[in-house]
Amino acid sequence: MKRYLIGRIGQALLVLWGAYTVTYLILYLLPGDTLSIMLSASGMEADGLSAEDLAKARAYYGLDQGLWQQYADLLWRALHGDLGHSLSLNRPVTALLAERLPQTLALAGLAIVLSLLGGIGLGYLTAYLQWRPLKTALSRLPSLGFSVPVFWMGLLLIQVFAFGLGWFPATGSRGFDSLVLPAVTLAIPSAAVYAQVLQRGFQGVWQEPYIVTAFAKGLSRAQVQARHGLRNAALPILTLVGLQVGNTVSGAVLVETIFSRNGVGRLAQEAVLRQDIPVVLAIVSVSAAAFVVINLLVDLLYPYLDPRISHCPKVS
């Protein structure tokens, strides 16, 4: 287990470094001049400044260095906990993340909880029901859930529950009420995936010998499904929880834009449009770190949930 843990931590560090490097190269290769974009965002034009002023500005922001010099400088400072300053907002990146991150964490956290409750609940109910018409109808809901575009679902929820019924605000970041519709919008695709995987898991579990033995002992269908079926049918969902973290983070960019929430998603969108490299790199690093940590925890939990799985090499 110790060797496995060291290997997984090494892989996690490689993922973080790879995400950081690829993001930097993509941003560097984007068309347009970073300084010109920054000046335009602040209401100024590069043509209105002298060559000397432009040179000073480039030197101040470190834009006069080469590709790899800038990369090495940013990476070295990031390794020491310094995420740099925003090129467009002229503020420490850590301060920007401290302001925006709680909003995104609240949105992602509630979305994950809703997706697990909704997806597992739907999958469990579908597996338990025996009336064929209703069972068939419920089994087709997951396909509808992850085939509908997120932006369309968000607009539909705004139209119905904000403008129509007036239950929740359409936009904003104040209070729990403003969090409900964005979280539901973000949760629906993941819940659909969980439900479909759980439905297929139960299809295989019902054929297992221990299920037949449980029925032979006189247990009811509800007891067999709760005590013996759910644990094994739900094991693939544990892996999906780790994978869905990435989808939740990427989906937050669109959802926060739709609902005008001041979270990391909107900050990332604004930083990309302005080619604010330090901000984008910091957001990607934080997102990748959350992704690898959760997947590492999932891998470590697997052997405890299913004793048949072991990371330790067998001795012949």
PDB file of all heavy atoms in Angstrom, residues 71-89:
ATOM      1  N   TYR A  71       7.570  31.175 -18.220  1.00  0.00           N
ATOM      2  CA  TYR A  71       7.049  29.920 -17.665  1.00  0.00           C
ATOM      3  C   TYR A  71       7.822  29.511 -16.418  1.00  0.00           C
ATOM      4  O   TYR A  71       7.223  29.166 -15.382  1.00  0.00           O
ATOM      5  CB  TYR A  71       7.131  28.825 -18.731  1.00  0.00           C
ATOM      6  CG  TYR A  71       6.869  27.435 -18.200  1.00  0.00           C
ATOM      7  CD1 TYR A  71       5.573  27.017 -17.922  1.00  0.00           C
ATOM      8  CD2 TYR A  71       7.915  26.554 -17.971  1.00  0.00           C
ATOM      9  CE1 TYR A  71       5.321  25.747 -17.429  1.00  0.00           C
ATOM     10  CE2 TYR A  71       7.683  25.276 -17.473  1.00  0.00           C
ATOM     11  CZ  TYR A  71       6.388  24.889 -17.212  1.00  0.00           C
ATOM     12  OH  TYR A  71       6.150  23.631 -16.714  1.00  0.00           O
ATOM     13  N   ALA A  72       9.145  29.530 -16.500  1.00  0.00           N
ATOM     14  CA  ALA A  72       9.962  29.129 -15.355  1.00  0.00           C
ATOM     15  C   ALA A  72       9.741  30.055 -14.159  1.00  0.00           C
ATOM     16  O   ALA A  72       9.668  29.596 -13.012  1.00  0.00           O
ATOM     17  CB  ALA A  72      11.442  29.122 -15.757  1.00  0.00           C
ATOM     18  N   ASP A  73       9.600  31.354 -14.423  1.00  0.00           N
ATOM     19  CA  ASP A  73       9.389  32.313 -13.336  1.00  0.00           C
ATOM     20  C   ASP A  73       8.043  32.077 -12.659  1.00  0.00           C
ATOM     21  O   ASP A  73       7.948  32.047 -11.415  1.00  0.00           O
ATOM     22  CB  ASP A  73       9.471  33.733 -13.890  1.00  0.00           C
ATOM     23  CG  ASP A  73       9.276  34.788 -12.798  1.00  0.00           C
ATOM     24  OD1 ASP A  73      10.056  34.789 -11.831  1.00  0.00           O
ATOM     25  OD2 ASP A  73       8.335  35.591 -12.924  1.00  0.00           O
ATOM     26  N   LEU A  74       6.981  31.876 -13.471  1.00  0.00           N
ATOM     27  CA  LEU A  74       5.655  31.640 -12.913  1.00  0.00           C
ATOM     28  C   LEU A  74       5.608  30.322 -12.132  1.00  0.00           C
ATOM     29  O   LEU A  74       5.033  30.250 -11.038  1.00  0.00           O
ATOM     30  CB  LEU A  74       4.606  31.626 -14.028  1.00  0.00           C
ATOM     31  CG  LEU A  74       4.296  32.969 -14.704  1.00  0.00           C
ATOM     32  CD1 LEU A  74       3.430  32.763 -15.936  1.00  0.00           C
ATOM     33  CD2 LEU A  74       3.589  33.904 -13.729  1.00  0.00           C
ATOM     34  N   LEU A  75       6.221  29.280 -12.696  1.00  0.00           N
ATOM     35  CA  LEU A  75       6.201  27.975 -12.046  1.00  0.00           C
ATOM     36  C   LEU A  75       6.994  27.996 -10.739  1.00  0.00           C
ATOM     37  O   LEU A  75       6.554  27.441  -9.720  1.00  0.00           O
ATOM     38  CB  LEU A  75       6.770  26.910 -12.991  1.00  0.00           C
ATOM     39  CG  LEU A  75       6.796  25.472 -12.461  1.00  0.00           C
ATOM     40  CD1 LEU A  75       5.386  25.005 -12.115  1.00  0.00           C
ATOM     41  CD2 LEU A  75       7.422  24.537 -13.493  1.00  0.00           C
ATOM     42  N   TRP A  76       8.147  28.645 -10.748  1.00  0.00           N
ATOM     43  CA  TRP A  76       8.974  28.715  -9.548  1.00  0.00           C
ATOM     44  C   TRP A  76       8.239  29.437  -8.415  1.00  0.00           C
ATOM     45  O   TRP A  76       8.249  29.006  -7.272  1.00  0.00           O
ATOM     46  CB  TRP A  76      10.297  29.397  -9.875  1.00  0.00           C
ATOM     47  CG  TRP A  76      11.202  29.569  -8.688  1.00  0.00           C
ATOM     48  CD1 TRP A  76      11.447  30.693  -7.957  1.00  0.00           C
ATOM     49  CD2 TRP A  76      11.985  28.530  -8.072  1.00  0.00           C
ATOM     50  NE1 TRP A  76      12.323  30.451  -6.940  1.00  0.00           N
ATOM     51  CE2 TRP A  76      12.675  29.129  -6.977  1.00  0.00           C
ATOM     52  CE3 TRP A  76      12.180  27.175  -8.330  1.00  0.00           C
ATOM     53  CZ2 TRP A  76      13.536  28.403  -6.169  1.00  0.00           C
ATOM     54  CZ3 TRP A  76      13.032  26.452  -7.506  1.00  0.00           C
ATOM     55  CH2 TRP A  76      13.707  27.062  -6.448  1.00  0.00           C
ATOM     56  N   ARG A  77       7.581  30.546  -8.762  1.00  0.00           N
ATOM     57  CA  ARG A  77       6.848  31.286  -7.733  1.00  0.00           C
ATOM     58  C   ARG A  77       5.633  30.498  -7.236  1.00  0.00           C
ATOM     59  O   ARG A  77       5.300  30.541  -6.052  1.00  0.00           O
ATOM     60  CB  ARG A  77       6.418  32.642  -8.280  1.00  0.00           C
ATOM     61  CG  ARG A  77       7.572  33.636  -8.428  1.00  0.00           C
ATOM     62  CD  ARG A  77       7.074  35.025  -8.744  1.00  0.00           C
ATOM     63  NE  ARG A  77       6.418  35.091 -10.044  1.00  0.00           N
ATOM     64  CZ  ARG A  77       5.773  36.175 -10.493  1.00  0.00           C
ATOM     65  NH1 ARG A  77       5.677  37.254  -9.722  1.00  0.00           N
ATOM     66  NH2 ARG A  77       5.234  36.162 -11.690  1.00  0.00           N
ATOM     67  N   ALA A  78       4.973  29.776  -8.160  1.00  0.00           N
ATOM     68  CA  ALA A  78       3.817  28.977  -7.758  1.00  0.00           C
ATOM     69  C   ALA A  78       4.227  27.870  -6.796  1.00  0.00           C
ATOM     70  O   ALA A  78       3.502  27.562  -5.841  1.00  0.00           O
ATOM     71  CB  ALA A  78       3.140  28.385  -8.992  1.00  0.00           C
ATOM     72  N   LEU A  79       5.385  27.259  -7.031  1.00  0.00           N
ATOM     73  CA  LEU A  79       5.869  26.207  -6.136  1.00  0.00           C
ATOM     74  C   LEU A  79       6.160  26.737  -4.739  1.00  0.00           C
ATOM     75  O   LEU A  79       6.166  25.980  -3.763  1.00  0.00           O
ATOM     76  CB  LEU A  79       7.135  25.566  -6.719  1.00  0.00           C
ATOM     77  CG  LEU A  79       6.932  24.727  -7.983  1.00  0.00           C
ATOM     78  CD1 LEU A  79       8.269  24.265  -8.536  1.00  0.00           C
ATOM     79  CD2 LEU A  79       6.027  23.529  -7.708  1.00  0.00           C
ATOM     80  N   HIS A  80       6.410  28.030  -4.633  1.00  0.00           N
ATOM     81  CA  HIS A  80       6.672  28.657  -3.337  1.00  0.00           C
ATOM     82  C   HIS A  80       5.434  29.365  -2.782  1.00  0.00           C
ATOM     83  O   HIS A  80       5.540  30.180  -1.855  1.00  0.00           O
ATOM     84  CB  HIS A  80       7.836  29.649  -3.451  1.00  0.00           C
ATOM     85  CG  HIS A  80       9.166  28.996  -3.659  1.00  0.00           C
ATOM     86  ND1 HIS A  80       9.556  28.495  -4.888  1.00  0.00           N
ATOM     87  CD2 HIS A  80      10.192  28.726  -2.797  1.00  0.00           C
ATOM     88  CE1 HIS A  80      10.778  27.970  -4.777  1.00  0.00           C
ATOM     89  NE2 HIS A  80      11.173  28.086  -3.521  1.00  0.00           N
ATOM     90  N   GLY A  81       4.265  29.085  -3.372  1.00  0.00           N
ATOM     91  CA  GLY A  81       3.019  29.630  -2.848  1.00  0.00           C
ATOM     92  C   GLY A  81       2.661  31.011  -3.352  1.00  0.00           C
ATOM     93  O   GLY A  81       1.673  31.592  -2.892  1.00  0.00           O
ATOM     94  N   ASP A  82       3.434  31.545  -4.288  1.00  0.00           N
ATOM     95  CA  ASP A  82       3.153  32.872  -4.842  1.00  0.00           C
ATOM     96  C   ASP A  82       2.506  32.699  -6.207  1.00  0.00           C
ATOM     97  O   ASP A  82       3.173  32.324  -7.175  1.00  0.00           O
ATOM     98  CB  ASP A  82       4.448  33.681  -4.960  1.00  0.00           C
ATOM     99  CG  ASP A  82       4.211  35.085  -5.512  1.00  0.00           C
ATOM    100  OD1 ASP A  82       3.034  35.488  -5.638  1.00  0.00           O
ATOM    101  OD2 ASP A  82       5.206  35.771  -5.816  1.00  0.00           O
ATOM    102  N   LEU A  83       1.217  32.951  -6.285  1.00  0.00           N
ATOM    103  CA  LEU A  83       0.481  32.795  -7.540  1.00  0.00           C
ATOM    104  C   LEU A  83       0.536  34.043  -8.410  1.00  0.00           C
ATOM    105  O   LEU A  83      -0.074  34.079  -9.476  1.00  0.00           O
ATOM    106  CB  LEU A  83      -0.976  32.417  -7.258  1.00  0.00           C
ATOM    107  CG  LEU A  83      -1.180  31.114  -6.482  1.00  0.00           C
ATOM    108  CD1 LEU A  83      -2.662  30.874  -6.236  1.00  0.00           C
ATOM    109  CD2 LEU A  83      -0.562  29.942  -7.232  1.00  0.00           C
ATOM    110  N   GLY A  84       1.247  35.053  -7.975  1.00  0.00           N
ATOM    111  CA  GLY A  84       1.445  36.244  -8.788  1.00  0.00           C
ATOM    112  C   GLY A  84       0.306  37.239  -8.682  1.00  0.00           C
ATOM    113  O   GLY A  84      -0.590  37.121  -7.848  1.00  0.00           O
ATOM    114  N   HIS A  85       0.366  38.240  -9.570  1.00  0.00           N
ATOM    115  CA  HIS A  85      -0.641  39.299  -9.633  1.00  0.00           C
ATOM    116  C   HIS A  85      -1.429  39.194 -10.937  1.00  0.00           C
ATOM    117  O   HIS A  85      -0.897  38.785 -11.966  1.00  0.00           O
ATOM    118  CB  HIS A  85       0.021  40.684  -9.563  1.00  0.00           C
ATOM    119  CG  HIS A  85       0.310  41.120  -8.167  1.00  0.00           C
ATOM    120  ND1 HIS A  85       1.235  40.485  -7.353  1.00  0.00           N
ATOM    121  CD2 HIS A  85      -0.203  42.144  -7.412  1.00  0.00           C
ATOM    122  CE1 HIS A  85       1.293  41.087  -6.188  1.00  0.00           C
ATOM    123  NE2 HIS A  85       0.433  42.098  -6.192  1.00  0.00           N
ATOM    124  N   SER A  86      -2.677  39.552 -10.864  1.00  0.00           N
ATOM    125  CA  SER A  86      -3.502  39.612 -12.066  1.00  0.00           C
ATOM    126  C   SER A  86      -2.994  40.728 -12.973  1.00  0.00           C
ATOM    127  O   SER A  86      -2.790  41.864 -12.525  1.00  0.00           O
ATOM    128  CB  SER A  86      -4.965  39.862 -11.691  1.00  0.00           C
ATOM    129  OG  SER A  86      -5.723  40.184 -12.829  1.00  0.00           O
ATOM    130  N   LEU A  87      -2.788  40.400 -14.243  1.00  0.00           N
ATOM    131  CA  LEU A  87      -2.293  41.396 -15.190  1.00  0.00           C
ATOM    132  C   LEU A  87      -3.352  42.443 -15.519  1.00  0.00           C
ATOM    133  O   LEU A  87      -3.023  43.601 -15.809  1.00  0.00           O
ATOM    134  CB  LEU A  87      -1.827  40.711 -16.478  1.00  0.00           C
ATOM    135  CG  LEU A  87      -0.714  39.664 -16.338  1.00  0.00           C
ATOM    136  CD1 LEU A  87      -0.376  39.064 -17.697  1.00  0.00           C
ATOM    137  CD2 LEU A  87       0.524  40.272 -15.698  1.00  0.00           C
ATOM    138  N   SER A  88      -4.625  42.045 -15.474  1.00  0.00           N
ATOM    139  CA  SER A  88      -5.693  42.966 -15.860  1.00  0.00           C
ATOM    140  C   SER A  88      -6.288  43.707 -14.673  1.00  0.00           C
ATOM    141  O   SER A  88      -6.701  44.863 -14.793  1.00  0.00           O
ATOM    142  CB  SER A  88      -6.805  42.202 -16.594  1.00  0.00           C
ATOM    143  OG  SER A  88      -7.319  41.168 -15.781  1.00  0.00           O
ATOM    144  N   LEU A  89      -6.338  43.068 -13.500  1.00  0.00           N
ATOM    145  CA  LEU A  89      -6.937  43.683 -12.321  1.00  0.00           C
ATOM    146  C   LEU A  89      -5.900  44.255 -11.367  1.00  0.00           C
ATOM    147  O   LEU A  89      -6.261  44.978 -10.428  1.00  0.00           O
ATOM    148  CB  LEU A  89      -7.805  42.661 -11.586  1.00  0.00           C
ATOM    149  CG  LEU A  89      -8.954  42.051 -12.401  1.00  0.00           C
ATOM    150  CD1 LEU A  89      -9.674  40.989 -11.597  1.00  0.00           C
ATOM    151  CD2 LEU A  89      -9.921  43.135 -12.854  1.00  0.00           C
TER     152      LEU A  89
END
